[in-house]
């Protein structure tokens, strides 16, 4: 158990809808990262938040957004969903600003299926 | 450019055999970190090891060992006396100054251990 929690575990929705994925980092960790794992793209970095502020951005679509709250949990919002958004979404956390030296510990993931 | 290549897409061995998973990386940075993560059938990503670019010592943890060779840009992972519970997808990953906060993952090697 990494100490990172994600809810829900599974999510089934329809095209055009909007969903919110939630992540709680390990106790004491200030950085939260979101990754998408799909069959064709593999594991890809989406976005990072550090202590409430966006710190780094990867291959995140404009339809997607995230935020980190004062209690350090984070939410990833996916809107206008398309079939291709079906994937496993991981959250990870690390202790500090997420400099490349830090190890990222991953949550169990949220499996999203868009029908 | 940062890149991680895991040329072995799938490996299948019989229980108790030794197996080596290959990982080749590319980076222009002199300081970087290499990781191995395990993704069992349940889907979570489990951190196994982190190694920095200045430490080429091999590491052993129980039945797991890692061989880091900067000369060949490789960070290979060996499981000795494999067990059915080792069946999983294994990802090699890289982070460096150029990649900032994100981890660059290889495409993974699916390891199946047959009883």
């Amino acid at each position: 158990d990494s100490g990172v929690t994600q809810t829900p575990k599974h999510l089934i929705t329809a095209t055009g809808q909007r969903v919110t994925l939630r992540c709680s980092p390990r106790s004491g960790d200030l950085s939260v990262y979101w990754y998408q794992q799909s069959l064709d793209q593999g594991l890809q970095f989406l976005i990072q938040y550090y202590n409430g502020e966006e710190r780094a951005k990867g291959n995140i679509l404009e339809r997607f957004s995230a935020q980190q709250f004062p209690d350090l949990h984070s939410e990833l919002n996916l809107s206008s969903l398309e079939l291709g958004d079906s994937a496993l979404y991981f959250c990870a956390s690390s202790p500090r600003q997420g400099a490349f030296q830090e190890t990222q510990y991953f949550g169990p993931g949220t499996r999203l299926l868009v029908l | 450019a940062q890149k991680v290549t895991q040329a072995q897409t799938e490996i299948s061995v019989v229980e108790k055999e030794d197996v080596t998973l290959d990982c080749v990386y590319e980076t222009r940075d002199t300081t970087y970190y290499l990781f191995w993560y395990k993704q069992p059938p349940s889907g979570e990503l489990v951190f196994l090891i982190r190694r920095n670019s200045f430490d080429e010592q091999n590491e052993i943890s129980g039945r797991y060992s890692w061989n880091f060779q900067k000369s060949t840009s490789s960070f290979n992972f060996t499981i000795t006396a494999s067990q059915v519970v080792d069946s999983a997808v294994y990802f090699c990953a890289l982070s460096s100054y150029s990649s900032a906060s994100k981890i660059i993952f290889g495409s993974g090697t699916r390891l199946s251990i047959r009883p």
Side-chain angles (χ1 to χ4, degrees):
Chain A
D1 186 349
S2 66
V4 179
T5 60
Q6 289 186 247
T7 56
K9 273 192 169 180
H10 303 275
L11 201 46
I12 302 175
T13 189
T15 53
Q17 294 299 304
R18 172 189 168 97
V19 297
T20 298
L21 313 183
R22 182 188 168 105
C23 166
S24 292
R26 295 187 317 160
S27 177
D29 282 1
L30 300 178
S31 277
V32 170
Y33 313 76
W34 288 96
Y35 288 81
Q36 180 194 57
Q37 184 180 29
S38 61
L39 283 174
D40 52 347
Q41 299 286 332
L43 265 161
Q44 289 207 311
F45 169 75
L46 295 178
I47 197 165
Q48 178 210 354
Y49 276 79
Y50 165 69
N51 208 20
E53 300 288 327
E54 181 183 306
R55 182 132 180 100
K57 222 167 184 176
N59 302 323
I60 188 166
L61 299 171
E62 285 194 14
R63 301 183 284 109
F64 296 179
S65 65
Q67 54 184 325
Q68 186 179 27
F69 294 86
D71 67 351
L72 300 177
H73 90 271
S74 177
E75 292 180 358
L76 178 67
N77 301 295
L78 315 175
S79 61
S80 302
L81 284 167
E82 301 175 0
L83 296 178
D85 297 327
S86 296
L88 188 51
Y89 291 85
F90 284 106
C91 166
S93 74
S94 71
R96 293 176 296 277
Q97 293 186 47
F100 65 94
Q101 298 97 326
E102 293 187 2
T103 297
Q104 296 180 22
Y105 293 91
F106 284 75
T110 293
R111 191 171 296 277
L112 173 66
L113 179 59
V114 182
L115 299 174
Chain B
Q2 322 288 309
K3 189 178 178 183
V4 176
T5 301
Q6 294 180 256
Q8 303 153 310
T9 307
E10 290 193 39
I11 300 176
S12 180
V13 301
V14 176
E15 202 172 17
K16 296 182 185 170
E17 283 186 18
D18 299 347
V19 57
T20 295
L21 310 182
D22 297 333
C23 172
V24 174
Y25 63 92
E26 291 177 33
T27 179
R28 290 184 179 173
D29 293 316
T30 56
T31 303
Y32 51 89
Y33 286 78
L34 297 164
F35 304 81
W36 277 93
Y37 286 86
K38 173 182 179 179
Q39 188 173 36
S42 49
E44 73 270 27
L45 272 172
V46 179
F47 166 76
L48 295 178
I49 189 172
R50 181 184 79 166
R51 176 51 57 91
N52 78 57
S53 52
F54 298 107
D55 182 3
E56 285 196 72
Q57 273 197 333
N58 289 338
E59 179 147 348
I60 298 175
S61 175
R63 297 183 296 105
Y64 295 173
S65 62
W66 290 269
N67 179 260
F68 175 31
Q69 291 196 333
K70 282 177 85 168
S71 60
T72 55
S73 297
S74 65
F75 186 42
N76 296 337
F77 173 30
T78 297
I79 301 175
T80 302
S82 60
Q83 299 176 3
V84 173
V85 293
D86 297 326
S87 296
V89 180
Y90 291 86
F91 292 93
C92 180
L94 163 73
S95 68
S96 69
Y97 178 79
S98 298
S99 68
S101 303
K102 66 181 178 184
I103 294 178
I104 310 294
F105 284 89
S107 54
T109 296
R110 182 177 299 277
L111 177 64
S112 298
I113 311 296
R114 307 189 305 274

